[in-house]
Amino acid sequence: MKNNSTFQKYIAPIVVLVGICLVVSAALAATYGITTPIIEARAKAEADAARQVILPAADSFTAYTGDLWHSEDNKVKVTEAYIADNGSGAVITVETSSFGGALTEMVGIDASGAITGVQISSHADTPGVGTNAMTDEHLGQYIGLSSLSSTDAKSDEAVDHVSGASVSSNAIHYGIYAALQQFSKMGGVQ
């Protein structure tokens, strides 16, 4: 009798808990298997919609699988490039170092190599200071440009930098420069 009570007191609860863990783990695995393709499809659709905002002539996108551009110090790097399936251009995502940390931007470039739009995807810059370089007005000055003479916004005569937000201005500018370099490295759109 003593052995039976030891089993019921110590071993049975462990067996029950292990069984519950196995059932819950199996349920989580099944849920993950079902929801992952749905989440990935939605994420792709949302990313394509964001790309289409800055390259409106595009119909759909295919990921570029070649080498991606990065600065020698690796502080500025192209993280992904997508080519429009109809050949209207490409959308290139770049990550740069800004005042608040990493700044991610998407740059649309049409088939002729001219910038069609710039969109800041994420940043941690100071609101009301660094974000002044992220306004539609400031980013709009890049539209139509097909080259930049410098990685530094202050020394590039094609654009104006935002006074008081020079680190953010330079981060954005260098990212756009990197996108143009990537587009050139890709040979444009084929």
Side-chain angles (χ1 to χ4, degrees):
M1 233 333 172
K2 200 169 190 179
N3 284 342
N4 191 22
S5 70
T6 303
F7 176 81
Q8 289 177 344
K9 190 172 185 179
Y10 296 108
I11 298 174
I14 292 171
V15 171
V16 170
L17 285 175
V18 169
I20 290 171
C21 288
L22 289 174
V23 170
V24 169
S25 295
L28 284 172
T31 302
Y32 179 79
I34 292 169
T35 59
T36 298
I38 296 167
I39 292 169
E40 288 173 354
R42 284 186 182 165
K44 182 181 180 340
E46 288 174 7
D48 281 351
R51 290 181 192 102
Q52 200 152 23
V53 167
I54 58 175
L55 186 64
D59 54 356
S60 59
F61 297 91
T62 300
Y64 172 73
T65 56
D67 292 335
L68 298 176
W69 188 93
H70 60 86
S71 62
E72 288 183 23
D73 62 3
N74 217 28
K75 288 186 178 181
V76 179
K77 58 187 171 195
V78 173
T79 57
E80 61 185 17
Y82 281 82
I83 299 171
D85 292 334
N86 64 0
S88 62
V91 175
I92 299 167
T93 304
V94 182
E95 185 177 290
T96 62
S97 293
S98 189
F99 185 78
L103 181 143
T104 306
E105 60 190 306
M106 293 172 51
V107 181
I109 304 172
D110 68 17
S112 69
I115 296 170
T116 59
V118 179
Q119 184 178 56
I120 307 302
S121 307
S122 68
H123 70 89
D125 288 356
T126 308
V129 180
T131 57
N132 290 341
M134 301 172 198
T135 64
D136 290 339
E137 181 182 342
H138 178 72
L139 297 176
Q141 69 182 330
Y142 289 97
I143 295 175
L145 298 178
S146 56
S147 68
L148 297 173
S149 63
S150 172
T151 60
D152 181 38
K154 287 183 182 178
S155 60
D156 197 320
E157 294 179 12
V159 295
D160 295 324
H161 76 284
V162 176
S163 185
S166 57
V167 175
S168 300
S169 288
N170 283 331
I172 292 166
H173 185 81
Y174 201 169
I176 294 168
Y177 177 88
L180 290 169
Q181 295 300 310
Q182 178 66 45
F183 189 77
S184 176
K185 183 178 183 174
M186 291 167 35
V189 290
Q190 310 297 329

